[in-house]
Structure formats: C-alpha cells, structure tokens
Amino acid sequence: MKSVVEHLSDLVRIPSVSRLSNRPVIDYVRAELEPAGWHFREHVYKDAAGAEKVNLIAAPPEADPHQTTADLALVCHTDTVPVAESWKRATDPFVQDGHLYGCGACDVKGYLAFILTAALAPETQPIQPGVCIVLSADEEVGCIGTSRLMEAGSIHPRRVLIGEPTSLQPARAGKGYCLAEATVFGKEAHSAHPQQGASAIYAAMDLIAEIRSIAAALESDTNDFFSPGFTTINVGTIRGGTAKNIVAGQCSFQLEWRPLPSQPHDTVAQRVRDAASLLEQKWNGSIRCEIHVTRTQPGFETPADAELVRSLEAMSGKSATAIPFGSEAPYFATDAEEVVVFGPGDMR
C-alpha cells in the first residue's frame, strides 16, 4: 500500500487550482478506493467558465451508496489557490527537513492523503457503514461545491470532520466570512473647477472613515475563545477615478468582515448601508452609494462537551480551539449536530 507521503506526492502533482476541473483529483481517489470495494456518488456541474466540477461522496464496502444520512462525514475540498508562475516546483513536490512542499500540500491535500492512507491500511478495522468521505469542488472560491451539495440534500451527516490545516488541533468554532463591493458615484468635472463636480473618491474616504468607526465599535462585543475576540472588518482593495486632472466620478472598494458565531452575519452590512445613507444626505444628494453583498457565510460553534470534540482532544492531546479563517464548516453546521475542523499543516 502507498504511504501518506506517496499519496500526498501523487496529489500535489495533479494541478487543481480552482479555475481548472477537479476531475483528475476525483479520478485519483476513485482509482485508489474502488479496488477496496468503496461505492461512489458523483454530483457534477459546470462552473461559470464551463469547467467540469465534481463533488464526490464515497461510502465504505458495507454501506448503501445511496444513503444520504451518515454518522460521520470526512469532508475535504479538492481545489487549491492560484499559483505564482515564479514557483517552478508547485506541482513537483519534495521533502526537506521533515516537511513536504508543493501546492496544496498544506491546504488540503495533506488531509486527503491521510484519509486515503487510513482507509486502505491493512491494519484498519472494517470501516463502519455510517462513515463516508465527501470531496468538494470550488471551496477556495466560495464553497460552491459544498453549497450545492447541501442545497440538494445529498448528504445529512450527524458529525462532520472538515480538513483544514490546524496543526492537528481540533477547532470546534470559527468566525464567518462575508464580502461586499461598495461603489460610490459622484460627478466628474475638471480639477480646475472642482465645485462643478462631486468627488467619489473623497466621498468614499468619508464612508471608509465611518467603516473604521463601525469596526472600533464592534470590538466591544467580544468572545475570548477567538483571537482576536471580536468581529473584524477589512477594506482590501480600492479603485477609482479616470485621470489626474478629473474629479473622480466613481470609486469602488471591497469590504470583508468575519463575524463571531453569536452575531448575525448581516449586522455589518446593515450598519454600512446606514452610514452610506447618512453620507448621501451629508453630500446633499450629489453622491450615491451602492453596497452589494456578494458572500454571507455565518460562523459556527460546536459545544465543548460534544463527543467528536472530546474524542479528537483525547487522540491529539490538544485542547480544542477556534479558527479565524473561513471553511466549509458553516454550511454543514446548519444540518449536523457536531462539526469540527482538523488537519495537518499550519494555515500561516
């Protein structure tokens, strides 16, 4: 049988950035598990660019392949983030100082390699019918594959173990992830006569200043289990204007926030919209603001005394923690009783 390193090396050699089809990864997993009697259900769709994407549910030999309920689902996404052209060995893995390097080795092909190795190990006890493996597509671009699976009712697990790099420390809670595009519309004019226009860039600066105030206010609503223990807001990109001597007629910026599980995911969006309305009044109607929310993913939190949490703490020897990054956990948390994020590697 293959070792973890051999499986991981094979998987890293398969390019699987989100813009590509994940079919080669799915085919690799099927080729490894099928001889051992595993059963499969595929859910295929096309992404916006027409690339084939596949969600796979794999059930052990004694299980009913059409069963939608499961006691434990091992969930792993199959896509990776983009790769810089300068990284010549992205899909040419190598081991150095005890670490395997390559695109996706950490996030999250390492977890998938462990699953395959454990499932096929000769010393492994027969895997119970209540266990299944769920491989998803397009996690890195919005958890699209998992969202489709859950909307279709294709799987209803009681417990879920989601693979992400947590340094093998069980994470029973995580913040949500939300994204919005804010656009401020003004009026163009020659910069020699600015009074004839309304600068969208200046107005956007005013709105961003209000967003900083909103962020500061949110720091008073804390949960010490997280670090940082409050909802964070970030303005990641900004663009606007057409030329150095033209009063900007339009300015847009991307806004993201990561809400605590206890906080409604739309709280920030509503506060920003309220601030935008007040700004329009302040500018006497000469500017207009649009806030378009493109992603709303709530947080999740599994109780500390949940069986899956306690089992993983005992096996790993590490206390449960919370993760500050996004994962597929919130999508399963609406249906499952217990959800934990766990895997090799460090997100940093």
Side-chain angles (χ1 to χ4, degrees):
M1 61 167 287
K2 292 181 180 179
S3 67
V4 171
V5 172
E6 289 172 321
H7 275 304
L8 181 51
S9 297
D10 288 344
L11 289 166
V12 169
R13 291 188 185 101
I14 302 173
S16 58
V17 298
S18 301
R19 62 179 174 80
L20 302 176
S21 172
N22 67 327
R23 168 63 73 182
V25 175
I26 297 298
D27 287 347
Y28 177 87
V29 172
R30 291 194 61 147
E32 294 296 320
L33 293 178
E34 203 158 23
W38 283 68
H39 311 288
F40 308 97
R41 280 188 288 142
E42 287 190 359
H43 300 259
V44 182
Y45 66 95
K46 295 286 185 70
D47 67 12
E52 181 189 45
K53 299 300 174 74
V54 186
N55 294 317
L56 180 76
I57 299 174
E62 301 302 320
D64 178 358
H66 302 291
Q67 182 73 30
T68 60
T69 59
D71 186 62
L72 175 65
L74 306 176
V75 178
C76 181
H77 68 83
T78 54
D79 58 324
T80 70
V81 295
V83 180
E85 292 184 5
S86 58
W87 188 8
K88 301 303 182 184
R89 301 202 65 177
T91 55
D92 180 20
F94 65 94
V95 176
Q96 182 176 312
D97 299 328
H99 298 282
L100 189 145
Y101 293 87
C103 182
C106 181
D107 184 11
V108 287
K109 292 179 177 180
Y111 177 72
L112 181 53
F114 274 109
I115 290 176
L116 291 174
T117 306
L120 299 171
E123 66 272 16
T124 299
Q125 296 293 323
I127 296 176
Q128 299 301 310
V131 177
C132 68
I133 297 170
V134 179
L135 303 185
S136 62
D138 289 334
E139 187 269 351
E140 298 289 1
V141 291
C143 300
I144 296 171
T146 292
S147 179
R148 284 173 171 262
L149 273 179
M150 300 308 291
E151 288 174 359
S154 302
I155 184 72
H156 298 282
R158 182 183 173 198
R159 300 182 180 94
V160 181
L161 187 61
I162 294 175
E164 289 288 351
T166 67
S167 299
L168 295 178
Q169 183 175 10
R172 65 173 182 86
K175 292 181 179 180
Y177 183 83
C178 303
L179 185 67
E181 179 87 6
T183 304
V184 179
F185 299 91
K187 181 182 178 183
E188 288 190 343
H190 196 287
S191 60
H193 301 281
Q195 72 279 7
Q196 295 180 1
S199 172
I201 289 179
Y202 282 172
M205 291 167 58
D206 288 348
L207 182 55
I208 290 171
E210 290 301 317
I211 290 171
R212 290 189 65 183
S213 297
I214 294 169
L218 288 170
E219 293 184 16
S220 62
D221 182 5
T222 61
N223 182 334
D224 293 338
F225 191 57
F226 293 86
S227 178
F230 49 84
T231 294
T232 59
I233 303 179
N234 180 58
V235 175
T237 65
I238 186 167
R239 59 194 181 278
T242 54
K244 61 179 174 52
N245 63 338
I246 298 176
V247 174
Q250 183 172 323
C251 183
S252 300
F253 58 90
Q254 279 189 313
L255 172 71
E256 64 160 25
W257 62 99
R258 299 168 188 265
L260 295 172
S262 59
Q263 189 177 86
H265 62 268
D266 58 352
T267 295
V268 170
Q270 188 55 54
R271 293 189 184 183
V272 172
R273 286 194 174 103
D274 291 343
S277 295
L278 291 174
L279 187 66
E280 289 174 343
Q281 296 175 28
K282 176 184 174 182
W283 280 68
N284 298 317
S286 60
I287 61 102
R288 178 171 57 88
C289 303
E290 289 184 0
I291 311 298
H292 179 51
V293 177
T294 57
R295 183 172 173 183
T296 55
Q297 181 179 318
F300 79 99
E301 187 166 7
T302 298
D305 60 354
E307 184 178 352
L308 184 58
V309 174
R310 288 183 168 180
S311 296
L312 286 167
E313 286 181 325
M315 287 187 286
S316 67
K318 299 178 180 180
S319 298
T321 186
I323 53 172
F325 54 83
S327 74
E328 293 161 303
Y331 294 89
F332 287 97
T334 59
D335 192 47
E337 296 176 16
E338 304 173 16
V339 179
V340 178
V341 179
F342 181 83
D346 190 322
M347 185 58 78
R348 291 168 294 185

